[in-house]
Every structure is written in structure tokens, then in C-alpha cells.
Amino acid sequence: MNYIDQVYLFVGKAVVLALIISFLLSLIIALLVGISFKTGRYFLARPMLIGISLLESLVKAIFWLGRADDKIVDDVGISLMNYINRGKFYATPVEDRFVFMPQCLRSVECPAKLTPEGIKCVGCGRCGIGEAKRLAESKGYRFFVVPGSSFIKRIIQKYHPRGIVGVGCEMEIKEGLILCNSHGIPAIGVPLTTAGCVSTTLEWERLYDVLLQRSSREPERHQA
């Protein structure tokens, strides 16, 4: 066997070994995700989150092959990020924490107007945003209703918040938490209960739990 053949053989074995290791790690992560979802207990939170981030497609494929809902992977991933960020978030002064709400939660009859810093809620009472705004601002939070991620990026660049609460669909929350992490900002995501472009819904008490630092409505978490 010549030198080139030996190199190809070595590379082939390395690729196969890497695939086997990736698959085994994905199985372990999938098992941990399933256990966490069912029991509400998160073990090895940071390693599990890293595993989900690196092997998300494989982990979801394992759930799909097992005829389980791969949405569980996203649910657990968001909860893990919230858990990891929670301590630093509450360590920041409340006046440096911002709340971002999606415009899709507004009533279809909302009279609020779009401004350079988002939609200015007028507290008309047609949806739950006005009450959330009053509560958040009474505690010292800055409150924004935004039509898209570009507004969030603009506000972050302008005001440099030190903590963020974001409400949105799961995909938006995942992207937002990653964005905040890239800026070194601890963030907590609160998923919508129904998603869409208009008339979405939210479990408002879950948002209030975050704003008031009450016990979380997410499952209890523990690190091993």
C-alpha cells in the first residue's frame, strides 16, 4: 500500500469514527432532552446546551426516528438558555433591563402608531400589552413593542441594555437569545402560546413571573 492509499485509509477511518462519535453523542443528548422534558430536571445544563447547539439536526432526527415531536428539543433548549442566563439577568439593575414584545400580540384594532423606536402603546385596553407595559415600567424596566428584529438590534446599539426579556415565537426567541449572547447580554425568552402574524396569544402570568422575579412556571431545573 503506497503513501496516498494510507492517507485515504486514515482519513476514511477518521470520518467513520467521527460519525460514530457524533451519533452516540446525539443519542446521549436526545436521551437527556427527553428526560429533562418529562421530569423537569436538567442535568449538566451547559454541556447539554452545547450538545444541542452543535448536534441539533442529529438530535432532532433521532426524535423523528423515534416518532417523538422534535419541537421538544427547541423547548428544552430555550429553557436551558433561560436557566443559564437567569442569575446574571437578575443581578443587573432593573433600570438596565429591557422588555421586547412582538407586534403580533396587538389587537387588530390597535390604534398605536409606529415610531423609530417601535410601536408606542397607548394603553387602549384592547389587548394585554398595555397592562404588561404598566407593570414593567412601574418596576423600572424599559418597554418596547417591536415589529421586527431590526428594531431590536437598533435599540440594543443605541441604549446598550444589560438585561433583556424577549417575547416571541420559538424561532425568534432562539435567534434573539443567540443575538443577546453575542453582545454579552443575559436574556430570558418567553414563548408565545400560539404563534402567527396577527392575534397571537401569550400566557401573561409567565411573563409577569419573569418581570417580578417570581418562581418560574417552567419545570424545576437542577444541575448535576
Side-chain angles (χ1 to χ4, degrees), residues 102-120:
Q103 62 87 24
C104 59
L105 273 170
R106 296 187 300 156
S107 165
V108 293
E109 299 175 347
C110 176
K113 304 299 182 182
L114 180 63
T115 74
E117 293 191 351
I119 297 162
K120 288 296 182 182

Side-chain angles (χ1 to χ4, degrees), residues 108-183:
V108 293
E109 299 175 347
C110 176
K113 304 299 182 182
L114 180 63
T115 74
E117 293 191 351
I119 297 162
K120 288 296 182 182
C121 175
V122 296
C124 67
R126 292 183 173 91
C127 70
I129 291 178
E131 181 60 32
K133 182 175 186 289
R134 284 190 289 273
L135 173 65
E137 292 181 342
S138 72
K139 299 300 179 182
Y141 289 85
R142 296 286 301 275
F143 192 94
F144 299 87
V145 183
V146 293
S149 59
S150 60
F151 275 78
I152 296 176
K153 292 176 183 177
R154 187 184 310 161
I155 292 168
I156 288 176
Q157 291 171 355
K158 182 176 180 179
Y159 293 111
H160 306 289
R162 294 173 61 189
I164 288 175
V165 179
V167 177
C169 66
E170 287 190 336
M171 184 58 66
E172 290 173 334
I173 287 178
K174 284 176 62 179
E175 293 174 355
L177 291 173
I178 292 170
L179 171 67
C180 290
N181 183 63
S182 69
H183 285 80

